[in-house]
Structure formats: structure tokens, C-alpha cells
Amino acid sequence: MLPLNKINKDWTLFLDRDGVINHEGIGTYINQWSDFTFYDGVTKAFEIFSRKFKRIIIVTNQRGIGKGITKEKELHIIHENMQLEIKRNNGRVDAVYYCPDNDDNHPRRKPNAGMGRDAVNDFPDIDLSKALMIGNTLSDMHFGRNLGICTVFLTTTRPETDLSDTAIDAVYPSLIAFAKELV
């Protein structure tokens, strides 16, 4: 059960990127900034999150780099522009972690917890007993479970997902819908 009434400035928010913050590419990758489109209400959601959470961390698998489809330089431009737009709208992102590896067993590739552990190493004030993960795949939910944190599943892209999966604590249709629950 997701303890919405207990979430305060001691909490950390982990989020996936594609399918959560921005529209996913259909059968392709987000390879450059011109491919990136925020979902409606996302910048407003980050404004709310910035008031509510101590840390806001994005964790994203970026297999396109490992496949040679996405250039790492372009990924950095995407993340810089994404963060600038969020900041322009009174929100913030404390860090973005990504895994370019193709190996599903790589410790940093979700659902493995490596990117979360990197965040804890970089921000020792993160208390995983006061953290949650928002994502749009069961891999994101299992990442949350592997870190020992609460999970929120967004139904933005995977309607076939079994929402009764035990790795899912709460379900919302969008990032802004979840954010409005915190106000």
C-alpha cells in the first residue's frame, strides 16, 4: 500500500523517463531532442514534486546507445534540455542515471537496482524506507522492489500489463494524476 499521507520532504522520488515523462518512440528510440515530447502536465507534476520530495532522480535504460542507434552526446543534450524545461516551469531534477548496456543481467540495467544504488552513493541522505519509483513497465516496478521501495505504475503505454502484479503498489493514468494526489 502506498502511504501518500506520509510522503514529505524526507522522501525521494525515482522516475523512469520514456513512457513516464515523455512519449515513447513506437518501435524506435528517442535519439535526439527533436524526438522528445513531454506528456501533458509533466512540467506541472515536477513543480509539485519539487515542493514535496527531497530528491528527484530519473533512472532510465538507454539500450539504443549500446546498439549504436543513439549517440551518447545526443542523450546528454536530451537530458539537459529536459531538465532546463522542467526548471523553467519551477521544477527540478537532482540527477539522471542511465544504463546504455544491452546485457539484461548488467547490475545497472533495470530491473536490477544498480542505478538506484548509484543514487544512494551520490546522495547519502536518501533513505530508501522513504522512497518510491514511478514507471510504466513491470521492469520499473521490479527495480523498485529490488531497491525495497514503494512503486507507482502508470498506464500510459502498456495496457496489457497485469495490474494485480504484486510489484505494483498503486496505479495512475499519468504523472500529473499522481502528482495531484499529493497536493
Side-chain angles (χ1 to χ4, degrees), residues 14 35 53 61 79 116 120 123 139 152 167:
F14 290 92
D35 299 333
F53 291 93
N61 287 340
H79 289 162
V120 171
F123 300 96
S139 177
V152 173

Side-chain angles (χ1 to χ4, degrees), residues 84-181:
L84 281 172
E85 189 62 25
I86 289 169
K87 187 176 181 181
R88 268 190 218 112
N89 287 278
N90 302 311
R92 74 171 201 288
V93 174
D94 294 299
V96 178
Y97 296 88
Y98 65 93
C99 181
D101 206 283
N102 286 324
D103 179 4
D104 288 335
N105 294 317
H106 191 282
R108 294 187 73 244
R109 185 167 180 76
K110 291 183 294 178
N112 301 314
M115 288 187 282
R117 302 250 179 258
D118 290 346
V120 171
N121 287 336
D122 292 344
F123 300 96
D125 60 342
I126 292 176
D127 177 353
L128 291 177
S129 72
K130 296 177 180 176
L132 65 95
M133 171 65 186
I134 300 177
N136 66 318
T137 67
L138 286 178
S139 177
D140 294 328
M141 302 299 97
H142 291 285
F143 165 85
R145 283 296 183 259
N146 288 334
L147 268 183
I149 64 177
C150 299
T151 61
V152 173
F153 185 86
L154 300 185
T155 57
T156 51
T157 61
R158 307 243 174 2
E160 74 285 355
T161 301
D162 177 5
L163 300 179
S164 67
D165 190 289
T166 58
I168 300 172
D169 290 319
V171 178
Y172 288 87
S174 65
L175 203 57
I176 189 62
F178 173 72
K180 286 179 178 178
E181 287 286 314

Side-chain angles (χ1 to χ4, degrees), residues 1-140:
M1 173 109 174
L2 188 62
L4 287 177
N5 61 335
K6 293 185 179 180
I7 294 173
N8 60 32
K9 273 299 224 186
D10 293 332
W11 281 65
T12 296
L13 176 62
F14 290 92
L15 303 104
D16 180 40
R17 194 193 79 186
D18 300 328
V20 173
I21 294 170
N22 60 283
H23 291 272
E24 282 187 320
I26 306 298
T28 186
Y29 296 96
I30 306 300
N31 295 316
Q32 55 196 3
W33 178 243
S34 62
D35 299 333
F36 187 99
T37 305
F38 282 103
Y39 278 117
D40 289 342
V42 163
T43 56
K44 179 65 177 170
F46 272 89
E47 178 187 358
I48 294 167
F49 296 153
S50 294
R51 290 191 312 261
K52 197 70 175 174
F53 291 93
K54 176 176 23 179
R55 297 279 176 218
I56 301 172
I57 310 289
I58 296 172
V59 287
T60 177
N61 287 340
Q62 292 295 318
R63 189 183 299 241
I65 294 172
K67 289 182 173 183
I69 297 168
T70 307
K71 293 184 178 8
E72 201 157 12
K73 178 182 175 186
E74 290 298 324
L75 181 68
H76 290 293
I77 292 169
I78 291 167
H79 289 162
E80 287 169 17
N81 287 333
M82 174 189 69
Q83 290 178 82
L84 281 172
E85 189 62 25
I86 289 169
K87 187 176 181 181
R88 268 190 218 112
N89 287 278
N90 302 311
R92 74 171 201 288
V93 174
D94 294 299
V96 178
Y97 296 88
Y98 65 93
C99 181
D101 206 283
N102 286 324
D103 179 4
D104 288 335
N105 294 317
H106 191 282
R108 294 187 73 244
R109 185 167 180 76
K110 291 183 294 178
N112 301 314
M115 288 187 282
R117 302 250 179 258
D118 290 346
V120 171
N121 287 336
D122 292 344
F123 300 96
D125 60 342
I126 292 176
D127 177 353
L128 291 177
S129 72
K130 296 177 180 176
L132 65 95
M133 171 65 186
I134 300 177
N136 66 318
T137 67
L138 286 178
S139 177
D140 294 328

